[in-house]
Amino acid sequence: MVKSVLVIPQATAAVIERLGRYRTTAAPGLNILVPFFDRVRARIDLREQVVSFPPQPVITQDNLTVSIDTVVYFQVTDPRAAVYEISNYIVGVEQLATTTLRNLVGGMSLEETLTSRDQINNQLRGVLDEATGRWGIRVARVELKAIDPPPSIQDSMEKQMRADREKRAMILNAEGQREAAIKSAEGQKQAQILSAEGAKQAAILGAEAERQSAILRAQGERAARYLQAQGQAKAIEKVFAAIKAGRPTPEVLAYQYLQTLPQMAQGDANKVWLVPSDYGKALEGFARMLGAPGEDGVFRYEPPAPEQAATSEPERDDPSVADWFDTAPDPTVAEAVRAAEAVARKEVPSPLGQPSVERGVDPGVLASGGSPREVGAGEVEPPARPE
């Protein structure tokens, strides 16, 4: 009874032989055997299995030996073929993976081997799946776990990688310096442009200010010279009028002439001064012009008859020069001043709800044309002066 009952667990299959010949494959669950005639040849695990093979030395196309570790994922799909078609399917998969890997890597250089893992995995899986199909095995995937080149090659690769990193670092540094130089040059360019624009505007404004100031100075000098000339003309007119009204005698004119001679001799450069030779002739000419000969033949001054003083209208300025002496302020400036005074006179409301009289502007002083005066707290504003 015990030999006639066989229990197979899930995901497991058993190959049953009767009298040494394959009879059936026992499915998971309860199976009935014929005692002494039926026996279990092998129990096969139907789950996907993972097998890691030891490193295998492989020679690349450039005659470099590398050590490659492989991992194979496979699953038994036909227990009968896995038992009767091959004696040990795990060893068969290992050897087939090793030979196929050597064939694939032998046609590649070391650099291609290191950078073509996916290509090697796909080709190796295709070859293994095709070859192990008759064994009742399905290869799911093949992975290269590690590719280890010789130590000398590793040292050379590290140096090459270090050189490449230094090269990229130098390139990036040079690119950064170039960008920084470009940005700095652009900034300097913009700064110089703005500085030139500012200098241009400053020069224009300075020239305009100098032109306006020169115009104003010239206008002031013109008005001053005009007023000075008018004053000199009035002074000369008054002097000659006084001389005529005083009826001077030749003696007075001679005396005045003598008083003028020392003034003509003043100055550090006048070391020697000579009296003019025509001094006597000048006096004689004055006497003959202003006098009349007497009985003794001497010319004496006879004052002219008093003339009626002619009343003349005061001299009036030319209308074309009337605007030279215009001192009225600019209307725009006057309007701005009035607006500022209106804002200054506006009463500021007190935060306590009472009118603030602590500080203000004396309206009487403003009405009289004087300067604003601040009124302190408790101070009575004086009455405005009548105009």
Side-chain angles (χ1 to χ4, degrees):
M1 292 295 292
V2 173
K3 288 183 178 293
S4 63
V5 177
L6 177 64
V7 178
I8 303 299
Q10 184 66 31
T12 304
V15 178
I16 306 299
E17 292 181 350
R18 177 172 289 181
L19 299 177
R21 186 176 180 180
Y22 173 76
R23 186 180 72 87
T24 185
T25 299
L30 181 61
N31 295 272
I32 303 301
L33 303 178
V34 178
F36 305 107
F37 288 94
D38 296 337
R39 71 181 184 93
V40 178
R41 169 69 184 269
R43 293 176 181 267
I44 305 299
D45 191 352
L46 300 179
R47 296 173 298 179
E48 186 173 349
Q49 302 180 37
V50 181
V51 179
S52 177
F53 300 129
Q56 300 294 329
V58 180
I59 300 176
T60 61
Q61 186 178 10
D62 46 3
N63 297 326
L64 293 176
T65 303
V66 295
S67 180
I68 302 178
D69 297 346
T70 56
V71 178
V72 179
Y73 299 83
F74 67 92
Q75 183 180 12
V76 178
T77 58
D78 187 359
R80 177 182 174 281
V83 173
Y84 293 106
E85 296 295 335
I86 188 170
S87 61
N88 191 341
Y89 58 86
I90 295 179
V91 175
V93 170
E94 178 184 359
Q95 296 301 323
L96 184 60
T98 300
T99 55
T100 304
L101 183 63
R102 288 178 177 174
N103 291 334
L104 293 176
V105 175
M108 298 182 179
S109 62
L110 177 61
E111 185 175 358
E112 293 177 351
T113 303
L114 295 175
T115 58
S116 304
R117 287 175 175 262
D118 293 339
Q119 181 180 357
I120 295 174
N121 293 338
N122 294 331
Q123 293 181 2
L124 188 59
R125 189 193 66 80
V127 172
L128 290 177
D129 191 23
E130 182 181 359
T132 58
R134 62 187 182 88
W135 299 344
I137 296 174
R138 182 181 65 84
V139 178
R141 57 188 301 182
V142 180
E143 295 290 341
L144 300 183
K145 186 166 63 174
I147 300 177
D148 299 327
S152 59
I153 301 301
Q154 291 183 3
D155 189 17
S156 301
M157 292 173 62
E158 290 178 358
K159 291 181 179 179
Q160 181 180 1
M161 294 176 62
R162 191 181 302 112
D164 290 340
R165 292 192 184 97
E166 292 178 355
K167 173 184 176 181
R168 288 195 296 268
M170 293 177 65
I171 292 174
L172 292 176
N173 189 16
E175 288 289 337
Q177 292 180 357
R178 184 174 70 88
E179 292 293 334
I182 292 174
K183 295 295 183 183
S184 178
E186 289 180 354
Q188 292 179 359
K189 174 184 175 183
Q190 293 295 333
Q192 291 179 359
I193 291 174
L194 293 177
S195 178
E197 289 290 338
K200 174 184 175 182
Q201 294 294 332
I204 292 173
L205 294 177
E208 184 66 22
E210 291 180 359
R211 186 177 73 86
Q212 293 292 338
S213 61
I215 291 173
L216 293 177
R217 282 196 298 268
Q219 291 178 352
E221 292 178 358
R222 179 181 63 177
R225 291 180 180 179
Y226 184 82
L227 293 176
Q228 186 178 7
Q230 282 188 339
Q232 291 178 357
K234 291 293 184 182
I236 294 173
E237 183 180 353
K238 293 294 183 182
V239 169
F240 276 97
I243 292 175
K244 290 180 180 180
R247 298 173 182 174
T249 61
E251 291 82 2
V252 175
L253 295 176
Y255 179 72
Q256 190 69 26
Y257 185 75
L258 290 176
Q259 285 183 341
T260 307
L261 291 179
Q263 297 179 4
M264 296 172 58
Q266 290 179 358
D268 297 336
N270 296 330
K271 301 300 181 181
V272 179
W273 185 76
L274 300 177
V275 177
S277 60
D278 57 349
Y279 174 68
K281 292 182 180 181
L283 293 180
E284 184 179 353
F286 277 121
R288 289 181 180 274
M289 180 178 61
L290 299 177
E295 296 178 356
D296 53 358
V298 179
F299 284 84
R300 289 180 175 83
Y301 176 75
E302 292 184 0
E307 298 179 355
Q308 197 78 14
T311 59
S312 61
E313 295 182 357
E315 182 182 356
R316 297 180 180 178
D317 292 333
D318 190 355
S320 61
V321 300
D323 58 342
W324 293 3
F325 312 99
D326 186 11
T327 58
D330 190 355
T332 305
V333 178
E335 183 64 25
V337 172
R338 284 195 296 270
E341 290 180 354
V343 173
R345 293 195 190 100
K346 186 176 180 181
E347 182 178 0
V348 179
S350 175
L352 300 178
Q354 298 177 359
S356 176
V357 295
E358 293 184 357
R359 299 184 63 87
V361 180
D362 187 0
V365 178
L366 290 175
S368 61
S371 59
R373 183 177 65 87
E374 294 182 353
V375 180
E379 182 180 355
V380 180
E381 299 179 356
R385 293 184 302 173
E387 296 183 357

